Amino acid sequence: MRVLRIAHASLTPRLRERERALARNHPDVDLEVVTTEKWREAEVDVEITGDDLFPVTKARRLLSRHVQLFAYNPKPIIAALRRHRPHLIDLNAEPYSVACAEVLTLRNWFAPRAPLVLQTCQNIFRDYPPPFNWLERRALRQIAAAYPCSETARELLDAKGFDKPSPVVPFGVNLEAFTPKPFKRKADQPLTIGYVGRMLPGKGLNVLAEALDKIRVVDWKLLMVGDGSERKPFEQALMEKELIDRAEFTGAISYDAVPELFHKMDLLVIPTETTARIREQFGRVIVEAMAAGVPVIGSTCGAIPEVIDSAGLVFPERDAEALAAAIRRVLNDATLREEFARLGRRRAEEHYSWDSVASKTHELYRQILRKQASAVRNPEFEFAS
């Protein structure tokens, strides 16, 4: 099964966990990956490195830095299509994006018999202006399947009239890198509330600041991991509330440094709020925290309740009083923290391991190729059940 995976952010082995699990667990897959030479992940510039499990081809980014507006240099993709002769193309892009339109065109020209499946995350319904509405309709008509990262993203495909296979295949977590580790704390040391992610409008940092003010009498520390335009306003809010001395800011850090920081947290807060541009598509830090045995408190925004399920607490978005109550409850109850840590780790193991993600992806590939074989009656596309 020759598969060409095209994904703009699959730059390093740590960021290629999905592809590596697929290659490691399913030897029937002959995988090649095309990615960009550099991408900005969580406010950190990441450059491409090779892989020991499959070839990785670099395609320079053109036109724009925006994820929906950039195009790949087509020459490396054309070369990969000719060299690898894929049975199936797996593209990480939204159907209205420039990159999706480009890859579909290259597929039509150089590998017309290879079905294309789309990994999608968008979960905000929009009627796009021309030409993006045309690109979206064309993509949904021509792709063979899609695998959204959450139910909210799958619901969007349904709303757009997409009636082909669209199983939810979530983001995963490296269970070995993100693992519980006892943190030795002095008896008089306060518990630590953590936040991991970009600090941007809509991420709910204003709500977090209000909630922290409401529990100022509780002994706690704050660890903020990440950076963005809302960091300074959040710091200013903590200064005005005389809480800044309780907070530590790491700034933007590499992905490899994240697991160790979870070991310093006693709970993670995800206070995202729905805006015209933001609706939490998945929340990868949630499954990372659960794998690390860190209890999670998240808002009702987008896919957050779906990912947390019963392994943590969910509060109504924008409700600082409810968030404060949830934080207070977790900080004050060691038994509850231990229970959420156990439930979170089990949920990560059962639903969000990269092995599980690879298995779901592989089954979708087989489903599409079996359908392709039946349609074209070509022995080259016949794969065992």
Side-chain angles (χ1 to χ4, degrees), residues 11-13 16 48-52 54 56:
L11 294 119
T12 67
R16 287 193 291 266
I48 188 173
T49 60
D51 207 288
D52 61 337
F54 42 74
V56 178

Side-chain angles (χ1 to χ4, degrees), residues 120-141:
T120 68
C121 298
Q122 178 62 272
N123 64 352
I124 299 177
F125 188 95
R126 290 194 178 99
D127 288 319
Y128 299 104
F132 300 102
N133 57 344
W134 306 334
L135 300 182
E136 182 180 56
R137 287 197 296 267
R138 173 192 182 232
L140 295 179
R141 185 174 63 252

Side-chain angles (χ1 to χ4, degrees), residues 183 185 189-195 219-224 246 248 261-269 294-295 327 330-331 337:
F183 179 60
R185 178 184 291 100
Q189 188 173 353
L191 300 180
T192 297
I193 303 164
Y195 172 91
D219 196 13
W220 50 261
K221 293 194 305 180
L222 179 67
L223 178 58
M224 301 292 292
R246 300 201 200 184
E248 176 186 349
L261 290 171
F262 276 117
H263 295 152
K264 298 182 178 181
M265 299 178 189
D266 296 285
L267 66 102
L268 179 77
V269 176
V294 178
I327 295 174
V330 174
L331 290 180
R337 292 197 303 275

Side-chain angles (χ1 to χ4, degrees), residues 40-152:
R40 193 166 181 81
E41 280 288 300
E43 306 301 317
V44 176
D45 288 326
V46 182
E47 295 188 357
I48 188 173
T49 60
D51 207 288
D52 61 337
L53 295 182
F54 42 74
V56 178
T57 297
K58 175 176 63 177
R60 188 163 52 91
R61 181 179 57 195
L62 305 175
L63 300 182
S64 174
R65 293 177 178 270
H66 193 284
V67 67
Q68 312 302 354
L69 301 179
F70 87 97
Y72 293 96
N73 177 355
K75 291 182 179 180
I77 297 178
I78 294 170
L81 290 170
R82 287 173 166 167
R83 176 182 61 253
H84 196 57
R85 296 181 297 111
H87 294 128
L88 181 143
I89 299 168
D90 179 355
L91 173 63
N92 175 208
E94 298 301 333
Y96 62 89
S97 68
V98 172
C100 181
E102 175 193 20
V103 173
L104 267 175
T105 298
L106 296 177
R107 187 284 305 265
N108 293 345
W109 287 350
F110 298 100
R113 297 173 67 182
L116 189 147
V117 300
L118 211 57
Q119 178 194 0
T120 68
C121 298
Q122 178 62 272
N123 64 352
I124 299 177
F125 188 95
R126 290 194 178 99
D127 288 319
Y128 299 104
F132 300 102
N133 57 344
W134 306 334
L135 300 182
E136 182 180 56
R137 287 197 296 267
R138 173 192 182 232
L140 295 179
R141 185 174 63 252
Q142 292 192 13
I143 65 174
Y147 60 100
C149 66
S150 66
E151 284 293 338
T152 61

